[in-house]
Amino acid sequence: ATVEKGLANFELNESAQALYDFTWREFCDWYIEFAKLPLKEDGPARLQTIYTLRHVLEAILRLGHPFMPFVTEELWQSLPWKKPANTPARTRDHKPEIETLMFQVFPVPLMGFKDTDSEHTIAALKGIVEAIRNFRGENNISPKVEFAVRYKTSSNPTDSFLRLHGPDIRALARISSLERLPDSESQASGFESVIPLSIPPIELRIALQGLVNVEEESKRVQKQIEKLDADIEFIRNKLSKDTLIAKAPPEMVAKEKAREAEMLAKRKEVEASLARLRSLGGGK
């Protein structure tokens, strides 16, 4: 619907951005990842997933054809399920159908496919998996290394949700287990990474002991802090110049101030990570 609206209003950038966001951030980043789970099994879920992958991939190529005609045509020609089509004028002149993407019907919005419950479910799953993946990346932990994750929640529906989707989360985040914290362990220890989430409302706990090389990781994090300090100082020097404030557009000044605030917040996060690492290494 967004692509069609952009084309109708000659806002081609809006159409292109919507197409890019959906293709890359929704279809490739997440749906294909989720699809790997049912594709490993036999049964109706596997067949449904295959049909969905086929349908959405071809629709993406049709939507992208006005923006990337040669690339999309080449990709569409490689599809084993492509079908010939025709234009009204060619049909009127009794000309044969041709296998080309140019003659395929442009997709139209089908609002019956909109499913709010499914969107909420996927948003919650993405939030958990992204949080664990970010933790893995920030601590330089190999994707091959699996570790236990525990969670704290005061909501029984949330607990039921996590138990239902636990196998999916374990597979996508590559963790060994996902278990609820007993009420007696509500306080986090200094040897745990605590990751609060709002969707779903839970707190993830990951034990750091034995999971990271404290000395090497501390050096890496310290260098990250030094780099942030240098970047913050550079921005502050720019903002301190009267010529910039007087001559630069207000939006540019606001953008630099926003960058400074973002880096300060990031520095605070990194400092907290370094403190946790040092507690593991006995304060070194």
Side-chain angles (χ1 to χ4, degrees):
T2 307
V3 170
E4 195 172 70
K5 181 181 176 182
L7 290 173
N9 296 333
F10 298 98
E11 298 284 352
L12 302 187
N13 59 313
E14 302 246 347
S15 297
Q17 189 64 51
L19 185 59
Y20 174 86
D21 288 342
F22 176 79
T23 304
W24 187 249
R25 298 195 176 102
E26 295 288 335
F27 186 65
C28 295
D29 265 4
W30 287 105
Y31 189 76
I32 291 177
E33 281 293 300
F34 279 114
K36 291 176 183 177
L37 305 175
L39 288 176
K40 292 178 182 178
E41 310 292 336
D42 286 326
R46 184 176 190 275
L47 195 59
Q48 290 164 4
T49 302
I50 290 172
Y51 276 121
T52 303
L53 283 164
R54 285 174 50 165
H55 173 82
V56 176
L57 175 59
E58 187 178 23
I60 286 171
L61 295 178
R62 294 188 193 196
L63 281 171
H65 191 63
F67 306 92
M68 302 176 291
F70 301 107
V71 172
T72 51
E73 180 73 47
E74 182 73 17
L75 292 172
W76 188 85
Q77 289 292 343
S78 70
L79 299 179
W81 63 85
K82 64 183 183 293
K83 294 180 180 180
N86 226 339
T87 66
R90 287 176 60 85
T91 302
R92 186 185 62 241
D93 295 339
H94 306 291
K95 292 184 178 180
E97 293 182 330
I98 300 175
E99 283 190 350
T100 175
L101 180 55
M102 286 185 289
F103 289 178
Q104 300 299 313
V105 177
F106 196 72
V108 296
L110 300 172
M111 302 315 291
F113 282 121
K114 193 168 181 63
D115 187 336
T116 304
D117 290 339
S118 292
E119 288 180 1
H120 290 162
T121 297
I122 294 301
L125 293 176
K126 284 168 64 175
I128 296 169
V129 173
E130 280 184 327
I132 297 171
R133 287 179 175 177
N134 289 340
F135 167 83
R136 187 187 292 275
E138 288 167 4
N139 292 281
N140 204 26
I141 300 169
S142 168
K144 296 180 181 179
V145 175
E146 294 189 351
F147 48 85
V149 176
R150 301 190 298 169
Y151 64 90
K152 174 187 172 184
T153 182
S154 57
S155 166
N156 287 329
T158 299
D159 182 53
S160 299
F161 174 87
L162 289 171
R163 292 181 187 277
L164 175 64
H165 295 286
D168 297 340
I169 296 169
R170 290 197 299 272
L172 292 168
R174 296 187 180 181
I175 56 176
S176 57
S177 63
L178 181 68
E179 297 178 354
R180 185 174 185 173
L181 273 167
D183 294 336
S184 58
E185 295 184 42
S186 59
Q187 294 297 319
S189 73
F191 303 103
E192 284 183 315
S193 181
V194 180
I195 308 171
L197 298 177
S198 56
I199 303 176
I202 60 171
E203 185 179 275
L204 298 178
R205 302 273 186 87
I206 303 173
L208 297 172
Q209 197 80 43
L211 192 59
V212 297
N213 183 321
V214 176
E215 185 177 352
E216 289 301 317
E217 194 60 19
S218 294
K219 289 179 182 177
R220 187 189 69 80
V221 174
Q222 184 60 50
K223 287 182 180 178
Q224 194 175 356
I225 290 174
E226 291 170 3
K227 173 69 166 56
L228 283 167
D229 284 341
D231 291 342
I232 291 168
E233 183 66 22
F234 177 76
I235 292 174
R236 284 178 173 172
N237 285 337
K238 283 176 67 176
L239 292 172
S240 66
K241 294 178 179 178
D242 295 336
T243 52
L244 177 73
I245 303 297
K247 297 181 179 181
E251 57 269 20
M252 178 183 172
V253 176
K255 186 177 180 180
E256 291 297 321
K257 288 181 178 179
R259 281 186 63 206
E260 180 190 11
E262 184 181 332
M263 287 182 182
L264 286 170
K266 180 65 176 176
R267 191 187 191 286
K268 190 174 180 180
E269 291 177 12
V270 176
E271 275 187 324
S273 298
L274 183 60
R276 286 196 296 270
L277 286 166
R278 284 174 172 168
S279 70
L280 288 174
K284 295 179 181 179

